[in-house]
């Protein structure tokens, strides 16, 4: 009976409005109206070989392999690659079974028309988000009544849309400012580069000059055979004082060392206990206290250990600890009772010669010595007293000049790299670098620092955890629903910032965060999700990406 | 990473005193051979025969000069053809014993297992006739007296016959063992140089006292105040090669031998409910639940036993060539299966079922222990779970994403992290600030929320639940009769004692919407950790000398404990709504016992994302199906670890055929909601989910059948083809209810095809392509690339479907039906459909549709299976329901194997009630490439609740 009824209904509808605006069967959108004009037969859109009597149109039975005969019902909703494979009413595989229609067309008078998925037609739920006029529930199954709410929904939408537009234009303005900031900052870097280059040139020349000064000073130094003698008379006394002081220091050192060794042993024992604990605890039991302890231990263990006395250091200490005697580092006796050295003998030998001969001989000896030193036959004069003041000065001057030059070169490299680095379109993130935005979500407060770090901090206490360090600017595809307030990613390509290698995660990887950006009036973290263990995703609004890389595929209205 | 169980955490038989003793007893009997005589005899002068039952005293002789032990025995014959043998111990029953350590425990053997497990089927067979002589008592019972029990008096044994063939023997091997109470005699220390004197020790079990008293395991001491109390019995199935049942184990469907033989286990099958972390495959090791029900099967005969005991239980299985057994000759049996059952304490209480079909045995067992609850419809749809959805926003987000990806689901779950510090009945205010808003969003698409509530109650100040538990003494007590304290998720905790009726009433009050704020009518409950799991207890559970309500020791009730908790929750959910608008509770449990099927669903616990676990899930779920608890499933995807996309996809394809279908994952795993898998996986997973939803009418009908007769929802091969001897061990393919749908899920990596066994002479059609396969008693290969679920339809059935994909099962309520008819050479087919509102108890008042469809002589007929009284005197509710359901029609009939002579016909004749006969369109198609011919009836428009015929 119902079939007859439906037939009469659609037949009558077709006849009465034939002259007016294109009469469309239920659920047909204007762009498909042309397929539904024939009043006698219907031809499946993708399978034009199949003709149906017009009574089969919208009769709640799926005839066409592309579903086009049921634009107003859910009868063809199963035609989808998401459904289990099945034969329709036609066995042949050379017929196009791609679904022809995007969905049920809701006119939504007073708002915007849209398509509703066929799976939602006459299921007893008013899908006002797609279909504010309630026409998706035309059959009123189970007594459901969906009143027309387009007026209020449309009004609200318009209000929000205006707000969105306003906000977008503000955002575009904000972005201009940011880009200006960024280009100013870039200019500053470029200027700095320029001055660095000049400084480096000067620095290089200075280093060259000082190098030759030093060479000369060294030459002079090499020719010196003897250092000026020091006040031997006070030496013995000083040595005695030094010796006592060193003894005292040595004793304290030994004491500290033994305390350190005790401490070290205790730490080793404790670490042993903790690593056994970590091995043997049962992660399934997931006791919060145990988890926290293991986590802290892992963080502790992962940190660089300060070298608390390695072997080499200990050998040094052993050496230092030896009493200074025959085998010790310092032979105090030498200092307390100085003996004549070979040089002293030579010096004394010269004293016997006449001055002219002595000068000549002296000069010859010095030349000979220079030759021997230059040819590596003789070592340069070494004396515990150090070099001459001249040589030291020359060397220091050169070092200072070199350091300054290296520093400038380093800065140059850094700045050059910085200029080559990707700061996003228009260099925009240059202006935001170092600024932070935060958001409370669930148990945590999250913080995004542009191009620096992402962090989380539990409201229940505990320290801050790094969720990633900035690595790169990237682009990704997203496909999200856009909330009415516009604070969402929507669909299409979006700029994304990758933060990786954050703090290590208990039973998981190092934390990382993907920060996905969408245009907004101000910097704002919208949402944080943990997509998989310790892999976070932040959805963030910022004017920095407005109109850039944001190729919208805004399917929020017509997406099915 | 492949994880394995920590064996050292669980006892082997050698480490469990009574197991060691009973195995030693069996060994001793084996050594003595024919010279062994069981010391148990029935005292004929105490024998009393009444209508349907026999009482007597069984005497255990202990040799010259030692007082015999008196054991009251009761043998009962029931109308269902079940027989029951119950043996108690007089001294303990009368309290004439002393407990050690000043224990407060009860002196009797635990005699309340029946109270929890048995709900019906106890009507006596008053027509049973007994004849007694000095040697034996013979009882004829059952319909037409086809059953016979021959009770030998001395030594005591019982042989059960059906149709004059021996099927079950009790104590045939003389392993019966009732350890009587004895005082502990403090003996002087034996000097080390003293030689043990030969032959001086008595023969009985007394020589080795080492396991009689205190036992220590893993640093925990069991004080055993009652001393040794075990019960043991051998049960032989002559001529039966296969035995099934006794879940839960990660083992094969057809049980393996445990004492020698090829492919045998070394340990007996163990039943001691335990939280086994990362359990291993192919093992007799105990798991979370215990159903001590076993059935033995041989060609065209099935029998069973039910060992009603709540204590730790072990079962040894030996299969022996039975050439020496003259009684089994001529009935095709070549092998006897000898089983040996022993429990730590309690009564010896065993039921014997004589079949003759698997269906009969399961129905006899189910009549006693109760049928599967008819669940709400959402409960048999898809459940999306994870440890944990971390915020209410997270839940809303997953909900939206499922819709956006067009993936149907009905229920989303919250594991322990939703609570405030693991305090049940609270919400974490930071992460779940708006639970009601979240539930409202779910409800807008008729979806549900399940939250976890475990039996451990956090021992922390300012927590009213624990304060009340303490002040009212509702907790389990330790051996010193003080409140027991142990560790679980929240740290220090107490355990509610649901054996206490007052505690149960209190538990009910905690679930009131006004008490557990943040829950709504669409909130349901998951009971986990109810073995109970105690992190710092022996074998991760409670000490056996803990004390429960009624002063029973924990050892007495351990295996029932989990069921009492679910029972409390079930009644709590029932009590939430006023009686007039009661809805069926849904509770998922991890621990279970015989009877738990009445209360909800179970899952196989914490499995792993490994192919081996996917494969094992099928025999595990099948075993539960034939053991009376069909509402079973395994965690789809595997709980621990990250499944590959292929494994996840195959698991969804298999899970679509678990009666309980839930995706679940451990907190340390990556997210794996179906929409995250990416293509082609997401689409293929969605197809599997939609297939489940398409077949929901068939599933619901199968659940209804289980709820009234205990018939398994998934039926293994031996069940469906009890005469197909070669295939009794098949455990990887099964039928869905009585639909004739035969599934063989792919459980191996990289598969492009599967081998499926088809019995001789049966015709099958591929569910998707209608390709025809004719069985020849061997396996055939069918293609099974990733996007294909091996699913066949056996000819001769009519399968009800709903083909329109919706967001949830609730939104399919008003959709029309499709009927799929599979015709074989006989051109006959039949099938059933049961429909109701899917949530209330109105069906008890007749508000349901129950149809039988039959196709014969080219006519399809829908006839009413409703109860006569519902038809003759329909209630108001029935009338209202049927009126509303007139809107639901049959939209399509697909006939597979449609006769060639239909070619050219274009219509069929429809006659429906008083309506004038009409014709509707029909089209016949010729199958190509091995596919059957098929026909489609275009929109017959017949009401689903109506009687009608369609002539082809």
């Amino acid at each position: 009976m119902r079939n007859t009824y439906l037939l009469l209904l659609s037949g009558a509808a077709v006849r009465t409005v034939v002259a007016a605006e294109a009469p469309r069967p239920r659920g047909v959108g204007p762009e498909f109206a042309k397929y539904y004009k024939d009043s006698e037969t219907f031809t499946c859109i993708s399978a034009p070989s199949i003709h149906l009597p017009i009574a089969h149109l919208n009769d709640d039975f799926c005839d066409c392999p592309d579903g086009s005969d049921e634009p107003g019902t859910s009868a063809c909703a199963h035609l989808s690659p998401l459904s289990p494979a099945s034969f329709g009413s036609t066995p042949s595989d050379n017929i196009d079974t791609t679904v022809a229609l995007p969905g049920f067309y809701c006119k939504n008078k007073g708002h915007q028309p849209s398509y509703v998925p066929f799976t939602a037609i006459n299921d007893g739920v008013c899908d006002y988000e797609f279909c504010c006029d309630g026409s998706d529930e035309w059959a009123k199954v189970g007594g459901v009544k969906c009143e027309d709410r387009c007026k209020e929904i449309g009004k609200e939408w318009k209000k929000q849309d205006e707000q969105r537009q306003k906000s977008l234009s503000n955002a575009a303005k904000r972005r201009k400012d940011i880009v200006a900031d960024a280009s100013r900052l870039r200019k500053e870097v470029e200027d700095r580069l320029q001055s660095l280059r000049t400084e480096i040139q000067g620095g290089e020349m200075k280093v060259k000059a000082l190098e030759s000064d030093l060479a000369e000073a060294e030459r002079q130094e090499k020719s010196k055979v003897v250092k000026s003698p020091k006040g031997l008379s006070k030496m013995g006394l000083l040595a005695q004082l030094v010796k006592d002081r060193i003894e005292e220091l040595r004793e304290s050192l030994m004491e500290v060392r033994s305390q350190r060794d005790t401490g070290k042993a205790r730490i080793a024992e404790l670490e042993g206990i903790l690593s056994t604990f970590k091995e043997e605890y049962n992660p399934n039991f997931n006791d919060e206290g145990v988890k926290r302890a293991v986590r802290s231990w892992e963080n502790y263990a992962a940190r660089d250990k300060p070298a608390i006395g390695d072997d080499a250091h200990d050998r040094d200490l052993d050496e230092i600890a030896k009493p200074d005697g025959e085998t010790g580092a310092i032979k105090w006796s030498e200092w307390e009772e100085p003996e004549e050295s070979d040089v002293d003998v030579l010096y004394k030998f010269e004293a016997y010669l006449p001055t002219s001969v002595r000068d000549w001989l002296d000069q010859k000896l010095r030349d000979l010595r220079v030759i021997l030193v230059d040819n590596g036959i003789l070592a340069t004069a070494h004396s515990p007293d150090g070099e001459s003041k001249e040589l030291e000065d020359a060397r220091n001057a050169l070092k200072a000049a070199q350091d300054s030059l290296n520093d400038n070169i380093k800065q140059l490299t850094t700045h050059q790299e910085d200029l080559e680095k990707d700061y996003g379109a228009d260099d925009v993130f240059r202006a935001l670098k170092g600024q932070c935005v935060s958001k409370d979500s669930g148990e945590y407060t999250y913080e995004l620092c542009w191009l620096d770090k992402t962090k989380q901090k539990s409201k229940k206490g505990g320290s801050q955890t790094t969720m990633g360090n900035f690595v790169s600017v990237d682009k990704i595809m997203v496909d999200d629903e856009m909330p009415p307030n516009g604070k969402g990613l929507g669909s299409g390509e979006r700029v994304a910032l990758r933060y990786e290698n954050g703090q290590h995660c208990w039973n998981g990887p190092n934390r990382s965060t993907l920060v996905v950006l969408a245009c907004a009036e101000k910097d704002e973290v919208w949402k944080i999700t943990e997509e998989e263990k310790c892999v976070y995703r932040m959805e963030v609004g910022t004017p920095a990406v407005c109109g850039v890389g944001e190729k919208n595929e805004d399917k929020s209205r017509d997406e099915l | 990473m492949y994880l394995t169980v920590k064996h050292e955490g669980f006892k082997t038989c050698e480490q469990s005193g009574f197991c060691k003793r009973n195995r030693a007893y069996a060994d001793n009997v084996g050594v003595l051979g024919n010279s062994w005589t069981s010391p148990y005899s029935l005292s004929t002068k105490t024998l009393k025969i009444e209508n349907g039952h026999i009482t007597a005293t069984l005497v255990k002789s202990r040799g010259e000069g030692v007082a015999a032990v008196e054991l009251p025995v009761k043998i009962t014959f029931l109308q269902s053809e079940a027989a029951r043998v119950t043996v108690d111990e007089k001294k303990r029953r009368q309290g004439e014993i002393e407990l050690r350590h000043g224990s407060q425990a009860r002196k009797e053997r635990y005699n309340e297992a029946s109270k929890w497990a048995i709900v019906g089927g106890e009507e006596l067979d008053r027509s049973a006739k007994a004849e007694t002589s000095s040697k034996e008592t013979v009882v004829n019972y059952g319909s037409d007296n086809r059953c016979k029990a021959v009770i030998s008096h001395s030594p005591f044994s019982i042989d059960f016959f059906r149709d004059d063939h021996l099927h079950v023997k009790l104590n045939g091997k003389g392993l019966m063992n009732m350890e009587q109470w004895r005082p502990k005699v403090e003996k002087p220390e034996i000097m080390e140089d003293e030689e043990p004197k030969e032959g001086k020790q008595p023969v009985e079990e007394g020589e080795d006292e080492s396991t009689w008293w205190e036992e220590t395991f893993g640093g925990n001491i069991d004080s055993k105040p009652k001393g040794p109390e075990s019960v043991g019995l051998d049960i032989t199935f002559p001529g039966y090669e296969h035995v099934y049942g006794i879940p839960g184990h990660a083992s094969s469907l057809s049980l393996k031998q445990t004492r020698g033989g090829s492919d045998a286990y070394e340990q007996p099958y163990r039943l001691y409910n335990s939280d086994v972390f990362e359990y291993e495959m192919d093992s007799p090791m105990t798991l979370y639940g215990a159903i001590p029900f076993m059935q033995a099967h041989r060609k065209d005969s099935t029998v069973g036993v039910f060992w009603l005991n709540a204590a730790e239980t072990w079962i040894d299985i030996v299969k022996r060539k039975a050439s020496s057994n003259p009684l089994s000759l001529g009935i095709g049996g070549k092998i006897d299966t000898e089983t040996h059952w022993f429990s730590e304490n309690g009564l010896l209480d065993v039921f014997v079922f004589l079949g003759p079909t698997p269906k009969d045995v399961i129905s006899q067992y189910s009549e006693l222990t109760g049928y599967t609850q008819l669940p709400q419809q959402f409960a048999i749809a898809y459940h999306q779970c994870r440890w944990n959805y971390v915020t209410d926003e997270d839940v809303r987000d997953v909900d939206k994403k499922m819709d956006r990806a067009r993936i149907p689901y009905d229920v989303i779950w919250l594991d322990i992290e939703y609570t405030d510090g693991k305090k049940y009945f609270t919400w974490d205010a930071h992460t779940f600030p708006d639970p009601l808003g979240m539930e409202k969003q779910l409800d807008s698409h008729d979806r549900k929320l399940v939250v976890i509530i475990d039996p451990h109650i956090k021992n922390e100040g300012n927590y009213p639940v624990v304060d009340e538990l303490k002040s009212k003494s509702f907790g389990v007590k330790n051996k010193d009769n003080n409140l027991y304290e142990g560790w679980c998720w929240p740290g220090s905790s107490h355990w509610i004692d649901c054996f206490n009726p007052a505690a149960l009433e209190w538990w009910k009050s905690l679930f009131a919407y006004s008490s557990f704020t943040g829950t709504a009518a669409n909130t349901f409950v998951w009971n986990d950790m109810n073995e109970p799991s105690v992190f710092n207890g022996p074998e991760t559970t409670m000490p056996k000398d803990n004390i429960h309500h009624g002063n029973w020791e924990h050892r007495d009730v351990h295996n029932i404990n989990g069921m009492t908790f679910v029972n409390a929750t079930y009644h709590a959910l029932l009590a939430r709504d006023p009686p007039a608008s009661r809805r069926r509770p849904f509770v998922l449990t991890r621990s279970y016992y015989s009877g738990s099927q009445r209360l909800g669903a179970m899952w196989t616990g914490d499995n792993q994302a490994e192919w081996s676990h996917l494969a094992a899930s099928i025999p595990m779920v099948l075993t539960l199906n034939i053991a009376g608890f069909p509402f079973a499933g395994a965690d789809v995807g595997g709980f621990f670890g990250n499944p590959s996309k292929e494994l996840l996809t195959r698991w969804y394809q298999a899970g679509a055929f678990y009666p309980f279908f839930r995706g679940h994952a451990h907190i340390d795993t990556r997210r794996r909601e179906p929409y995250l898998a990416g293509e082609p996986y997401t689409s293929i997973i969605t197809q599997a989910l939609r297939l489940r939803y398409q077949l929901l009418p068939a599933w619901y009908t199968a659940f209804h059948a289980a709820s009234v007769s205990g018939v398994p929802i998934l039926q293994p091969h031996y069940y469906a083809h009890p005469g197909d001897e070669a295939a009794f061990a098949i455990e990887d393919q099964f039928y869905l209810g009585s639909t004739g749908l035969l599934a063989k899920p792919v459980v191996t990596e990289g598969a492009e095809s599967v081998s499926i066994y088809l019995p001789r002479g049966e015709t099958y059609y591929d569910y998707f392509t209608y390709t025809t396969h004719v069985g020849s008693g061997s396996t055939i290969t069918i293609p099974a690339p990733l996007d294909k679920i091996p699913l066949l339809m056996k000819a001769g059935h009519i399968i009800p479907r709903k083909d329109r994909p919706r967001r949830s099962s609730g939104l399919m309520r008003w959709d029309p039906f499709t009927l799929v008819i599979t015709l074989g050479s006989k051109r006959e087919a039949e099938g059933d459909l049961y429909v109701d509102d899917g949530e209330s108890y109105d069906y008890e008042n007749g508000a349901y549709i129950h149809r039988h469809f039959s196709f014969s002589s080219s006519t399809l007929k829908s006839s009413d299976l409703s109860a006569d009284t519902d038809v003759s005197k329909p209630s108001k509710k029935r009338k209202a329901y049927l009126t509303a359901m007139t809107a639901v029609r049959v939209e399509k009939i697909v006939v597979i194997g449609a006769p060639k002579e239909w070619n050219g016909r274009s219509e069929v004749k429809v006659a429906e009630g008083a309506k004038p006969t009409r014709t509707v369109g029909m089209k016949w198609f010729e199958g190509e490439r091995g596919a059957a011919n098929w026909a489609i009836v275009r929109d017959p428009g017949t009401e689903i609740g109506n009687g009608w015929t369609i002539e082809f």
Side-chain angles (χ1 to χ4, degrees), chain A residues 30 50 98 153 293 455 476:
Chain A
I50 302 175
T98 313
I153 290 171
K455 301 171 221 170
I476 63 156

Side-chain angles (χ1 to χ4, degrees), chain A residues 350 353-365:
Chain A
E350 274 179 76
L353 299 172
T355 313
S356 58
V357 178
R358 196 170 66 203
D359 285 350
W360 177 86
L361 184 64
D362 190 48
Q363 190 53 51
K364 288 294 157 200
L365 278 170

